[in-house]
Amino acid sequence: MLRVAGPLAEVADAAGTREVRLSPRLPGGPPVAGDRVVVDDAGTQGIIRGIEPRRTVLERIGSGGRVRAVVANADLLVVVAAVAEPPLVPRLIDRYAVAAVAGGLDMAVVLTKDDLPHDAAEVATVVRRQRAAGHPVLVGSAFDPALVEQVRELIDGRLAAFAGHSGVGKSTLTTALTGVRRATAEVSDRLRSGRHTTTDPRLIPLPGGGAVVDTAGVRSFWLPPMAPTDIAAGFPDIVAAAGDCRFRDCRHMGDAGCAAQAAVEPERLESYRALIEAAESAVAFARGHD
């Protein structure tokens, strides 16, 4: 499926692309870009009757506190972040890393707007940490053809989902890669955060193979409920350090004998701990309202 717009969806099959309707109360729904769907063509317009099992899924907490799928069956999550305007938020990248591992996606980071004044030391730290975690990192301008080609090589024929704050250049990269123009906007002067422009995640094929899904820009990204072990999987540097902890069940929350305390940078450790505390608070809240 290419996109969803209200009660309608755009799907692609061997005959090309077409518009179909969504069945009310669709089991496993609502569908999202990347889903493989079952279409019933018995009527005057096709209608989606089912969603096939998802191979991967990127999920977040949406409105009303419900877990919501953002994109399905993607191979790669490309977290796009600006080095300035809007400001770089390393913890947002960490949250996406946890979501990528939980959903079965590989992850890469693209840092844009390096032509603007920025804190070079902060950017270098983010690059070092993310590469140490095993994530490819590219740095440049979304308007630079060289960076666009690097991103194309990174995707390498796969289905890639672009995610991150509004105004960081996701739609600009999508347009440069696909030739399909997406809405873009300047950064808000009041909040210095991107204006929300892409509202309907859309799967767009790439010339030569592969495809991208330009997801809606966010101001925050809240993880769905998950176990501490799932959160830790998004921090492979902490998992590696855990082998030297005194106790096998160490939570790395300042416990005595915790090897991560000395092996992992404080800011990185605090990012991990904040997610663990949020997950434990959510569990406690749920238990209190059973």
Side-chain angles (χ1 to χ4, degrees):
M1 189 170 68
L2 303 181
R3 63 182 288 235
V4 177
L8 301 175
E10 185 179 0
V11 298
D13 55 24
T17 62
R18 57 190 172 122
E19 191 175 82
V20 297
R21 293 183 294 124
L22 298 179
S23 174
R25 296 178 294 277
L26 186 67
V32 295
D35 266 322
R36 297 180 176 89
V37 296
V38 178
V39 178
D40 181 353
D41 288 313
T44 57
Q45 183 181 27
I47 183 168
I48 294 177
R49 297 291 190 187
I51 302 173
E52 295 185 2
R54 291 164 172 163
R55 179 173 52 83
T56 69
V57 62
L58 177 67
E59 293 181 323
R60 61 171 295 186
I61 293 294
S63 58
R66 296 181 178 179
V67 178
R68 184 172 72 87
V70 179
V71 60
N73 299 311
D75 304 292
L76 175 70
L77 174 63
V78 179
V79 180
V80 184
V83 300
E85 296 187 19
L88 182 59
V89 182
R91 289 194 180 189
L92 178 68
I93 300 175
D94 291 342
R95 290 196 289 273
Y96 273 119
V98 172
V101 172
L105 293 85
D106 294 333
M107 194 185 98
V109 180
V110 175
L111 301 179
T112 62
K113 302 190 179 183
D114 76 331
D115 53 328
L116 298 180
H118 61 275
D119 186 336
E122 179 187 40
V123 172
T125 297
V126 170
V127 171
R128 183 183 71 253
R129 289 175 182 166
Q130 293 303 319
R131 285 179 175 165
H135 304 141
V137 182
L138 302 176
V139 183
S141 167
F143 295 100
D144 184 353
L147 179 66
V148 174
E149 288 310 306
Q150 287 179 313
V151 175
R152 193 187 305 277
E153 292 175 5
L154 181 69
I155 295 172
D156 191 26
R158 296 177 288 178
L159 173 56
F162 289 175
H165 278 148
S166 301
V168 296
K170 298 187 302 298
S171 295
T172 301
L173 280 173
T174 299
T175 298
L177 287 164
T178 67
V180 177
R181 184 168 297 279
R182 299 284 278 161
T184 60
E186 299 299 324
V187 173
S188 164
D189 289 331
R190 183 172 68 87
L191 297 177
R192 304 313 297 163
S193 61
R195 293 194 182 99
H196 183 83
T197 53
T198 300
T199 58
D200 58 327
R202 180 181 176 190
L203 190 155
I204 308 173
L206 288 172
V212 298
V213 177
D214 180 13
T215 69
V218 301
R219 289 184 178 170
S220 60
F221 182 84
W222 300 107
L223 293 169
M226 59 180 62
T229 52
D230 294 326
I231 293 173
F235 293 82
D237 46 345
I238 294 178
V239 172
D244 294 324
C245 288
R246 181 184 302 174
F247 302 107
R248 185 172 298 177
D249 59 350
C250 182
R251 296 166 62 249
H252 323 303
M253 302 292 286
D255 309 276
C258 176
Q261 190 77 26
V264 180
E265 294 177 85
E267 293 83 0
R268 176 79 168 161
L269 199 54
E270 283 304 310
S271 179
Y272 161 82
R273 288 172 174 171
L275 292 179
I276 293 292
E277 289 172 350
E280 292 177 343
S281 296
V283 170
F285 178 83
R287 287 175 178 170
H289 288 75
D290 282 344

